[in-house]
Amino acid sequence: MMLVSVNKQHFLILILLVFGQGLKAQIWTLQQCIDTARVQNKTIRIANNNAIMSGEKTRESKAYLFPRLTANGEYKYYFNLPYQLLPQSTFNPSAPESQFNAAQFGVPHNINANIQLFIPLYNPQISGRIEASKIGEEITALQGEKTEEQIYFETSNLYYNAQILKAQIVFIENNIINANQLLGNLKLLKKHLLATGTDEGKVALQLAQLSNQKTATQNKLLQVLNNLKFIIGLPANQNMDVENEINTPNPITYNNSPYIDSKLLFAQNKLLKTELKTLSRSRYLPSVNIIGMYGTTGFGYDKEPNQFLDFYPIGFTGLQISYPLFNGTVTMRKMNQKRLEISNNQLKSDWIQDQNSMRVSNLTLERSNALGSVETTKKQIELAQNIYSKTLLQQKQGTASLTDVLLADNALREAQQTNITAIIDYLKANLELKKITGNLE
C-alpha cells in the first residue's frame, strides 16, 4: 500500500506558503512545488484512496474463510396439501403391482426456524482470490507510484517552462534596451541629416514588435503559472513565481532501477499466473466445508375437533465435499486464454526493457549534446552582444550602417533563441532520463 507521508517540518512550511501569501508573488522552488503536489494534488489523493480500497478488498477476500452463521424462519399455509402416490400393496398385500392410490400428507400449517452454520475448510477459488487480491494491492501501490511520478514529471516540466519564459522575457527586455539606444542614435543622426525617417521607422517598428513579443511571452508565463498552481493544488488567485536561475547541473549517470511500467508488468504477470493456478486447482481439487443446522419444525391443524400446534427439534452437523466432474471444458478454455495472456505480458515486458535500453542510450547522448550547446551558446550570446554594442557605437559615429546594426541584432537574437532551445533540450532529456531509469524523486 502506498501512502504519501510528509514530515512535520515540510507540512508547516507548506501551510505558511499557502496561507501566508501577500500582495507580492512568492518565489517557489521546484522542490516546494513537488512537496505541495504530493499533499494537495487530487490525482495523488485519489491514488492514495485506491490503495486503501485495495487493502480493504484483500481483507474482504480473507473474510470468506470466516464461519458464516445465518438465522432462517419460514411459515407456510397449505390450502392444498401435496399429494403422494402410494402402492396399493402397502395396505392390501394381495393387490396387484403397479397400481397406486393418491394420498395427501401433512397439515396446513408448517413453521420452520433454524440457525445454519457454514465453515469453509478448503476452497480453491477463495484461496486464489486471496492471493490475487494481495497482488492487486501491490499493483494498486505501483499505479499510485506511477501517478506520483507523472505528477512529479508534469510539475517539473511546467516549472522549467516558466523559468524558460522568464529567461525569454529577460532577453526581450535587453533587446528593447538595445532598440531604444539604436532609436536614440538614429534620432540624433537624423537631426544632423545623417539618417532618414525610413531608418527611424524601421527601428520603431522593431521596437513595437519587441513590445508585443514581450506581452505575448508574459501572457504565456501567466498561463504556465496557472497550470502549475492547478497541478500542485494551489488556489487560482494565489500569487506565485518561480526562480529566475535555471539549474542545469552537470550530467550524472543514473542508476538504472526498474522502470515503473516494468514493475507493473511483472506484478500483472504474477496476477495472471495466480489466476491460472486458481483455475487449475478449481478443476482438480474439491471444496470442503463443515455444515451444521439446529432448529425446530412446527406443525399445526386448526380444524375441530383436533386443533393443535406442535414443535419438534431438528439438528445436524456434517462435512460437505464438492468435486467438479465436468463443466463442458469451460475451465480448460479459460486456462488456455490465461497462458496466452501470460505470454503476451512477457513479450510486452521484454519489449519495454529493450525500448528503455535504447532510450537511455539516446537520451544520454542528447543530454550531453544539449549541455555542450548550452555552454557554447552562452559564449555566442556574449560575443553577439559585444559585436552589437560595437556596431551600435560605430553606427553612432557614422562608420556603420543601419543594416549592419540590424544584422548584428539578428545575430544576437538567434544566439539567444539557440541558447533557450539548448536549455529546453537539456532539461527535457535529463527529466526523461530520470523518469525511465526510475530516479524521479
Side-chain angles (χ1 to χ4, degrees), residues 224-282:
V224 171
L225 289 175
N226 285 336
N227 291 336
L228 181 60
K229 285 187 285 187
F230 171 77
I231 200 169
I232 66 177
L234 291 182
N237 60 353
Q238 179 166 340
N239 292 323
M240 75 169 299
D241 201 354
V242 298
E243 294 179 315
N244 294 329
E245 184 179 356
I246 302 176
N247 184 23
T248 53
N250 293 327
I252 61 174
T253 302
Y254 297 111
N255 295 326
N256 195 5
S257 58
Y259 186 35
I260 191 69
D261 285 344
S262 297
K263 294 180 181 178
L264 275 170
L265 284 171
F266 179 74
Q268 289 167 358
N269 187 275
K270 288 198 301 182
L271 179 60
L272 290 171
K273 289 180 178 178
T274 298
E275 291 173 347
L276 177 61
K277 184 170 64 174
T278 301
L279 287 171
S280 178
R281 287 176 177 175
S282 63

Side-chain angles (χ1 to χ4, degrees), residues 15-255:
I15 294 297
L16 291 174
L17 288 172
V18 172
F19 296 101
Q21 52 181 325
L23 295 176
K24 186 177 179 181
Q26 298 172 348
I27 303 297
W28 285 60
T29 66
L30 176 59
Q31 190 59 50
Q32 286 173 332
C33 291
I34 292 171
D35 290 341
T36 305
R38 284 172 175 164
V39 176
Q40 298 189 182
N41 181 270
K42 291 181 175 59
T43 306
I44 291 179
R45 291 166 66 181
I46 290 172
N48 292 339
N49 289 338
N50 288 338
I52 297 173
M53 285 193 295
S54 182
E56 290 297 326
K57 287 180 180 178
T58 300
R59 286 184 280 275
E60 175 191 349
S61 300
K62 293 180 179 179
Y64 282 100
L65 293 176
F66 297 163
R68 293 201 291 274
L69 197 63
T70 57
N72 305 292
E74 181 182 67
Y75 168 75
K76 292 180 181 178
Y77 174 74
Y78 290 94
F79 52 87
N80 277 325
L81 290 172
Y83 283 84
Q84 183 60 269
L85 295 179
L86 296 176
Q88 290 184 359
S89 60
T90 303
F91 304 100
N92 184 5
S94 62
E97 293 184 3
S98 304
Q99 290 188 6
F100 302 87
N101 288 331
Q104 286 181 298
F105 288 93
V107 292
H109 301 277
N110 285 261
I111 301 173
N112 293 301
N114 58 70
I115 294 177
Q116 294 182 355
L117 176 67
F118 181 88
I119 304 176
L121 295 182
Y122 177 75
N123 187 309
Q125 293 183 347
I126 294 178
S127 300
R129 187 183 301 170
I130 293 173
E131 292 182 38
S133 61
K134 289 179 180 178
I135 299 173
E137 194 173 351
E138 179 183 348
I139 290 175
T140 304
L142 289 172
Q143 289 172 339
E145 289 181 23
K146 184 175 182 178
T147 299
E148 190 170 336
E149 280 195 355
Q150 185 62 31
I151 297 301
Y152 179 104
F153 185 85
E154 293 177 8
T155 301
S156 301
N157 199 24
L158 288 170
Y159 193 91
Y160 292 147
N161 284 341
Q163 286 187 307
I164 288 168
L165 288 170
K166 289 187 72 174
Q168 287 180 327
I169 291 172
V170 172
F171 284 144
I172 294 171
E173 289 175 344
N174 291 335
N175 293 335
I176 289 175
I177 293 173
N178 292 338
N180 280 322
Q181 289 179 346
L182 177 59
L183 186 61
N185 290 347
L186 286 174
K187 288 181 179 180
L188 184 62
L189 291 174
K190 182 182 176 183
K191 200 173 187 180
H192 294 83
L193 303 178
L194 296 176
T196 65
T198 303
D199 292 340
E200 183 180 354
K202 290 179 180 178
V203 177
L205 176 61
Q206 184 186 63
L207 193 58
Q209 290 173 339
L210 286 171
S211 179
N212 290 336
Q213 186 180 359
K214 179 182 177 181
T215 301
T217 307
Q218 287 174 332
N219 289 335
K220 287 182 181 178
L221 176 60
L222 290 176
Q223 292 175 358
V224 171
L225 289 175
N226 285 336
N227 291 336
L228 181 60
K229 285 187 285 187
F230 171 77
I231 200 169
I232 66 177
L234 291 182
N237 60 353
Q238 179 166 340
N239 292 323
M240 75 169 299
D241 201 354
V242 298
E243 294 179 315
N244 294 329
E245 184 179 356
I246 302 176
N247 184 23
T248 53
N250 293 327
I252 61 174
T253 302
Y254 297 111
N255 295 326

